[in-house]
Amino acid sequence: MLIRQTSTKHQSIEQPARSWFSFRTICSLLLVVFAFGLAPFLSQRWRTKSLTESIRSNGGEVRIDQYVCYNGACFYIPLAVSEGLSRITYISYAGSKSCPVDDAFVESMEHQPSLFILKLGDRNHPARITDRSFSVMKQFPKLASLSLNGTSLTESSYKELSQFPSLRSLTLCNFDSHSEQLCSISQLQRLNSLSLTAVNISNRELEHISSLTNLKSLGFSGTTIEKDSFRNLSNMSQLALMSIYFTEFDPAELNYLTALTSLQSLHLHGSSINDTHVREAAKLSQLTQLHLDQTDISDQGLTHLTDLENLNVLFLTQTAISDAGVQHLTQLKNLQYLHLGHTKITGQVINSLLNMPRLIRVRGVEKVLTEESLQALQDAGIEVEREGSSIKLP
């Protein structure tokens, strides 16, 4: 009897001890699980913060998305949490002597699930990256826009680029133009936008570019274009915007663009653009937007534009256009937006502006017009955009 009572007493003492042991075990396990679960978050936060600080300390720019949207509702996320979730959406980094843009730099970026725009290198610090870097980048699921300055591309490089799941826009600057690096670009059939800066483009290379039939935007800046090169663009049926900045070319090249029925916007910038170019551009009857900023056009050259019946947006900034030239534009029946910033217009331009039948917005005139003239434009339903405000195209 005594033994039975003693046994019962021991059981009653051991029971709470076992319960306490079990509770401590569960808590310990939970802490271990929590630590393991938190470790990747803290590690990713440290890597993201380290990458961001490195880029910014060397003159680069990083943007981190601090909002999450669901069913139309957006919620703010603290920066510390955004860094832990690798929510970098934009990186622009030219590089430096101490931290150049090379394969090691790209590999340090590791996993970037939210990165949308990536710009690497400049003229002074070329992006010396190889296929190793492209193998890393193709793991960025949302990377849609890539800009590379000074990077040498090979056939295998284009093969890697073709495997980027979301890449739609590519900018290539300052690469070796004698190696015909663009001859393998036809592999990038999903591209919507291509910009080429400071390169010499051969007819053969432009022929390969023309095979990108999904391109909607094509730009040349500071390039050299061979005669009759634009003949190769005739099969680009979806091309809607073409930009030619500070590039010397034969005005007759523009005749080849008449076959591009989808081309709606043409940007011609630079002092090499003159009245002859405007005359040829005026043959593109499908144009709805024409930008002639910083060009050498004259008042008389604007008479050619009267043939563009569909034109509704015209930029003439930083040109020698005067009131006489603007008067020719009154014959444009569908012109809705006109930019006259830094031209030679005077207060007399008000008469022409009021005689434009469909004009709804003008920019670059507030410094030459009186308050009375500005009020007259407002009464006529014409908005005057002020300097510093955002441009609002119709």
Side-chain angles (χ1 to χ4, degrees):
M1 184 70 177
L2 180 61
I3 296 174
R4 187 176 297 174
Q5 288 177 348
T6 304
S7 176
T8 304
K9 185 177 180 180
H10 278 299
Q11 289 178 2
S12 62
I13 293 173
E14 290 176 0
Q15 187 65 35
R18 289 176 181 173
S19 299
W20 171 243
F21 175 77
S22 299
F23 176 73
R24 283 193 302 173
T25 302
I26 293 172
C27 288
S28 298
L29 289 173
L30 288 175
L31 285 173
V32 170
V33 171
F34 180 74
F36 272 101
L38 190 61
F41 174 84
L42 294 176
S43 177
Q44 184 60 57
R45 181 178 183 273
W46 178 84
R47 288 195 298 267
T48 301
K49 188 174 182 180
S50 177
L51 175 66
T52 300
E53 290 177 352
S54 176
I55 292 174
R56 288 174 175 168
S57 64
N58 285 280
E61 183 181 359
V62 177
R63 299 174 192 170
I64 298 177
D65 186 8
Q66 292 185 247
Y67 289 89
V68 170
C69 297
Y70 180 74
N71 284 341
C74 293
F75 305 93
Y76 176 80
I77 301 177
L79 182 59
V81 178
S82 294
E83 289 177 342
L85 295 174
S86 295
R87 295 185 61 80
I88 294 178
T89 59
Y90 175 97
I91 293 177
S92 178
Y93 182 55
S96 65
K97 289 184 178 180
S98 60
C99 185
V101 177
D102 53 18
D103 290 334
F105 170 79
V106 174
E107 287 170 344
S108 72
M109 296 170 62
E110 295 185 319
H111 184 53
Q112 295 296 334
S114 300
L115 187 61
F116 188 74
I117 298 174
L118 179 59
K119 300 178 180 180
L120 298 175
D122 66 8
R123 182 181 291 274
N124 297 321
H125 304 97
R128 303 300 190 192
I129 60 176
T130 68
D131 293 354
R132 279 173 53 194
S133 292
F134 296 129
S135 295
V136 174
M137 292 181 199
K138 71 181 180 183
Q139 305 302 320
F140 303 162
K142 294 185 179 180
L143 184 60
S145 178
L146 177 63
S147 177
L148 300 173
N149 200 315
T151 302
S152 295
L153 299 177
T154 64
E155 184 175 356
S156 60
S157 300
Y158 285 109
K159 185 176 181 179
E160 292 283 353
L161 286 168
S162 69
Q163 296 174 29
F164 284 32
S166 302
L167 186 63
R168 296 296 179 269
S169 176
L170 179 64
T171 298
L172 301 175
C173 312
N174 297 301
F175 58 79
D176 183 6
S177 58
H178 299 292
S179 60
E180 294 197 331
Q181 293 187 37
L182 295 172
C183 289
S184 297
I185 201 169
S186 56
Q187 298 184 55
L188 308 183
Q189 286 299 316
R190 290 183 293 181
L191 277 187
N192 296 143
S193 175
L194 176 64
S195 297
L196 302 169
T197 299
V199 295
N200 297 325
I201 303 173
S202 67
N203 274 336
R204 183 165 175 257
E205 288 177 305
L206 204 54
E207 185 177 351
H208 287 282
I209 291 173
S210 69
S211 68
L212 302 175
T213 54
N214 287 317
L215 276 188
K216 294 180 173 60
S217 174
L218 178 60
F220 304 97
S221 180
T223 61
T224 300
I225 299 175
E226 293 182 359
K227 186 176 177 59
D228 295 327
S229 290
F230 285 177
R231 176 186 300 171
N232 298 305
L233 303 180
S234 58
N235 64 328
M236 303 185 75
S237 59
Q238 296 193 50
L239 194 65
L241 185 155
M242 189 167 182
S243 304
I244 307 175
Y245 295 163
F246 308 103
T247 296
E248 293 189 12
F249 66 98
D250 187 341
E253 291 292 306
L254 295 174
N255 288 327
Y256 295 118
L257 304 184
T258 56
L260 302 178
T261 56
S262 61
L263 187 65
Q264 297 183 334
S265 183
L266 180 63
H267 297 214
L268 301 175
H269 292 204
S271 58
S272 62
I273 305 300
N274 53 44
D275 290 348
T276 307
H277 293 85
V278 175
R279 183 189 65 200
E280 299 303 322
K283 297 176 182 179
L284 307 177
S285 59
Q286 71 272 34
L287 289 181
T288 60
Q289 294 189 26
L290 180 60
H291 295 235
L292 296 170
D293 305 304
Q294 302 179 36
T295 58
D296 195 32
I297 59 173
S298 69
D299 290 335
Q300 187 61 31
L302 294 184
T303 59
H304 301 299
L305 299 184
T306 57
D307 295 329
L308 294 175
E309 296 182 356
N310 297 311
L311 192 68
N312 57 46
V313 173
L314 179 60
F315 280 60
L316 297 170
T317 66
Q318 300 183 57
T319 63
I321 297 302
S322 69
D323 300 337
V326 178
Q327 187 175 9
H328 297 310
L329 303 180
T330 59
Q331 300 179 52
L332 292 172
K333 298 178 181 180
N334 290 302
L335 187 64
Q336 299 180 43
Y337 186 99
L338 179 61
H339 197 332
L340 295 169
H342 304 287
T343 57
K344 293 186 177 181
I345 59 171
T346 69
Q348 298 301 313
V349 77
I350 182 65
N351 298 317
S352 297
L353 296 177
L354 291 173
N355 283 320
M356 295 182 183
R358 297 197 62 188
L359 189 67
I360 60 174
R361 199 168 294 122
V362 64
R363 190 181 183 96
V365 299
E366 72 272 17
K367 291 184 178 180
V368 300
L369 295 182
T370 64
E371 289 298 325
E372 182 180 356
S373 295
L374 291 172
Q375 185 61 49
L377 288 175
Q378 183 177 337
D379 294 341
I382 301 173
E383 177 187 352
V384 177
E385 284 187 350
R386 306 284 178 167
E387 266 191 45
S389 64
S390 59
I391 292 177
K392 297 182 292 184
L393 299 181

